[in-house]
Amino acid sequence: MDHITFLVAVVIVTALAFDFTNGFHDTANAMATSIATGALTPKVAVLISGVLNIVGAFLSTEVARTISGGIVDDTLVSPAMIFAGLIGAILWNLLTWLVGLPSSSSHALFGGLIGAVWVGAGSDAVHFDKVVEKILIPAVASPVVAGVAALIATYVAYRLTARARREPVSKGFRFGQIGSASLVSLAHGTNDAQKTMGIITLTLISAGALDHDAGPPVWVIATAGLAIGLGTYIGGWRIIRTMGKGLTEIQSPQGFAAETASTAVILTSAHLGFALSTTQVASGSILGAGLGRRLAEVRWGVAGRMAAAWLITLPCAALVGGISASVVKHGGTFGIVVVALVGAAVAAGIVLLSRRNPVHADNVNDHHEVAVSATPAPVGTAA
């Protein structure tokens, strides 16, 4: 424990703060379609998702090892660089949450870390071959695979039930969605909680508290799982509205198909150590489910904005992480304090701005657009 300096403790707390934002940013991946179809009430959905995210965190550590010893050279990384990268990831998560845009928390984390390490230790400290293999290729392939699987599953579901009465079919698929959405939550905990585990493990390795190539200790697994579970329970309602109502009007057979496809892709990738974006997988599945139902409306404008966000997430988070790392590198302890204060001020400003047009459990299934109003909301409403 002698290696746990004040800076290392700050980095660990910041990593858990990112994990918390990852939770409420990504609740929609598991529960948006079930909430949209009425399979689960909003508050029950986020409670189930939060608990299963915690359980999922204990199922695997392959993705954590990819991050702690794969995409950057852990011998050249310092806790200050990791702190700078986390600031970039947190701010991007909050900004995209504000506008209800389901961008990738994973790519925000990777981008922030890559940008900070590149500035802090040079380009040789980033393993770009691993970035391509473990991040970029899965980022392109995973939503396509999930989308095609959901499209086929949706088409088959409607064909098999074409002559059945609509109400019993819808009711049956809504029951099925309880199971399929729960599996997505379990898979999300298995994949996304590991990313914070990997960051904390990398911090401990860089501080000399763990050996190189070490896996995450049990306390790291437990705290990362708890942080993402609590974040998930908070709700992330703004993104749930976009995912559940924004891409297409989801019916229960589509929701079941989308959730099942997402689970299969996420769990397979977690087993292989691919640190993919669960947001991209879930969005691809929902889009595929929309295309799989005849006469379903797909809102391509929303899909286009989401795709644009996916493209710019990693470089934007890398830019903020790089700038933060530069301030830390040249300012030392004073630079760390400056970055922390600026990051906290920006985060607080985003949260306050969100309260002008709150989205919560009671209105999450209303209109699919999420706007940032200039008119303050009544006191006591949730964001």
Side-chain angles (χ1 to χ4, degrees):
M1 297 299 291
D2 293 339
H3 297 281
I4 308 299
T5 64
F6 177 73
L7 176 58
V8 170
V10 168
V11 174
I12 292 173
V13 171
T14 307
L16 293 175
F18 165 79
D19 206 22
F20 181 82
T21 67
N22 190 355
F24 73 71
H25 197 280
D26 287 4
T27 309
N29 299 345
M31 291 298 174
T33 52
S34 292
I35 292 172
T37 63
L40 290 167
T41 62
K43 291 184 178 179
V44 170
V46 297
L47 176 60
I48 292 173
S49 188
V51 170
L52 290 175
N53 265 273
I54 297 173
V55 174
F58 287 87
L59 296 184
S60 174
T61 59
E62 290 303 316
V63 173
R65 289 177 180 273
T66 295
I67 294 171
S68 63
I71 63 175
V72 294
D73 187 340
D74 57 24
T75 63
L76 300 176
V77 175
S78 69
M81 296 177 205
I82 299 172
F83 172 74
L86 286 168
I87 293 297
I90 290 172
L91 293 182
W92 184 256
N93 265 0
L94 290 175
L95 179 63
T96 50
W97 162 76
L98 175 66
V99 297
L101 199 58
S103 68
S104 170
S105 295
S106 304
H107 289 178
L109 177 61
F110 302 145
L113 181 62
I114 290 168
V117 171
W118 194 340
V119 170
S123 59
D124 290 340
V126 181
H127 297 155
F128 288 103
D129 56 334
K130 290 294 183 182
V131 172
V132 172
E133 176 190 352
K134 297 289 189 177
I135 298 174
L136 297 184
I137 292 177
V140 174
S142 59
V144 174
V145 172
V148 171
L151 187 155
I152 294 172
T154 299
Y155 176 79
V156 171
Y158 278 105
R159 289 285 292 179
L160 292 176
T161 59
R163 297 185 179 180
R165 289 191 297 126
R166 184 171 181 177
E167 184 55 35
V169 168
S170 296
K171 186 176 181 180
F173 276 111
R174 280 198 295 269
F175 276 116
Q177 277 192 273
I178 297 174
S180 59
S182 297
L183 285 174
V184 178
S185 295
L186 191 72
H188 182 263
T190 302
N191 192 281
D192 278 46
Q194 287 193 62
K195 292 156 189 173
T196 300
M197 294 178 210
I199 289 294
I200 296 176
T201 302
L202 179 61
T203 303
L204 296 173
I205 291 172
S206 68
L210 290 177
D211 294 332
H212 295 292
D213 300 323
V218 174
W219 69 267
V220 172
I221 298 173
T223 53
L226 183 61
I228 201 169
L230 288 174
T232 301
Y233 180 67
I234 291 297
W237 305 108
R238 306 172 83 83
I239 298 177
I240 290 175
R241 177 183 286 184
T242 301
M243 293 278 278
K245 294 291 185 179
L247 278 174
T248 185
E249 292 296 328
I250 290 287
Q251 296 180 356
S252 55
Q254 295 168 282
F256 179 78
E259 291 157 1
T260 304
S262 295
T263 300
V265 172
I266 294 168
L267 287 179
T268 301
S269 298
H271 177 71
L272 296 173
F274 292 135
L276 53 71
S277 165
T278 53
T279 300
Q280 292 182 358
V281 172
S283 300
S285 295
I286 292 172
L287 187 61
L291 294 172
R293 177 167 69 91
R294 191 166 62 92
L295 302 180
E297 176 193 3
V298 175
R299 300 185 181 96
W300 292 106
V302 176
R305 290 196 297 273
M306 289 170 54
W310 296 350
L311 290 175
I312 65 174
T313 289
L314 198 149
C316 285
L319 178 62
V320 178
I323 293 172
S324 300
S326 180
V327 174
V328 169
K329 182 178 180 180
H330 295 97
T333 302
F334 177 74
I336 292 173
V337 172
V338 169
V339 169
L341 291 176
V342 171
V346 174
I350 291 173
V351 172
L352 288 174
L353 189 59
S354 73
R355 295 185 180 276
R356 294 180 179 273
N357 187 17
V359 181
H360 45 76
D362 296 328
N363 68 359
V364 69
N365 278 336
D366 291 350
H367 195 264
H368 71 269
E369 292 289 347
V370 174
V372 181
S373 173
T375 304
V379 176
T381 53

